[in-house]
Amino acid sequence: MSQTAIFWPMIALTALIYVVYGLVFLRRMEAVKSGQASPRDFKLPLKEPEVSVTAIRNLINLYELPVLFYAVCISLYVVNGSSFLAVIVAWLFVAARVAHTVVHVTSNRLRLRQPIFTIGYLLNGILWVILALHLAIPATA
């Protein structure tokens, strides 16, 4: 498998972030049209309108744990550690982030969202363990 395969989950996660940016834009426009907010409210958004608050909070979430994901994926690539297992775990992490986003911006049911977040958290940790093991255990020729 090509070492560059680790970049596809990163590209997919970035696409998700762009989708959520679009959702934030649409929901903020809805808030303006419905009178919940005015365009100037977003100059310094101290209080997000109710209609867009979950989308903006999800966007913030996509800049927290995923930062570690990007770092570990790039690190795996740099040290030639993008194994089949690492790529599969990376895709599972992205799937967990997609599921988390869908729940967060729709029903926002914490009972569903929290376990999905935990799965993603653990998958991210597994990627770091894979990196650590790759560095600690020399490959045999």
Side-chain angles (χ1 to χ4, degrees), residues 1-53:
M1 178 180 56
S2 168
Q3 286 294 302
T4 59
I6 198 72
F7 289 116
W8 289 109
M10 295 172 62
I11 291 167
L13 186 59
T14 301
L16 175 64
I17 291 169
Y18 274 86
V19 167
V20 175
Y21 267 116
L23 183 62
V24 167
F25 174 77
L26 292 173
R27 288 192 176 177
R28 282 181 169 179
M29 293 299 293
E30 182 182 331
V32 170
K33 285 181 184 176
S34 71
Q36 290 182 36
S38 73
R40 70 178 174 274
D41 292 340
F42 301 110
K43 199 172 187 178
L44 184 61
L46 299 175
K47 183 175 188 268
E48 190 69 31
E50 186 175 332
V51 70
S52 60
V53 74

Side-chain angles (χ1 to χ4, degrees), residues 20-93:
V20 175
Y21 267 116
L23 183 62
V24 167
F25 174 77
L26 292 173
R27 288 192 176 177
R28 282 181 169 179
M29 293 299 293
E30 182 182 331
V32 170
K33 285 181 184 176
S34 71
Q36 290 182 36
S38 73
R40 70 178 174 274
D41 292 340
F42 301 110
K43 199 172 187 178
L44 184 61
L46 299 175
K47 183 175 188 268
E48 190 69 31
E50 186 175 332
V51 70
S52 60
V53 74
T54 56
I56 199 70
R57 184 64 196 130
N58 186 259
L59 185 60
I60 292 166
N61 284 175
L62 288 170
Y63 283 97
E64 293 171 346
L65 187 59
V67 169
L68 295 175
F69 172 74
Y70 289 123
V72 74
C73 287
I74 292 168
S75 298
L76 284 163
Y77 173 77
V78 167
V79 300
N80 204 29
S82 301
S83 65
F84 180 76
L85 177 62
V87 172
I88 293 300
V89 173
W91 275 115
L92 290 172
F93 175 80

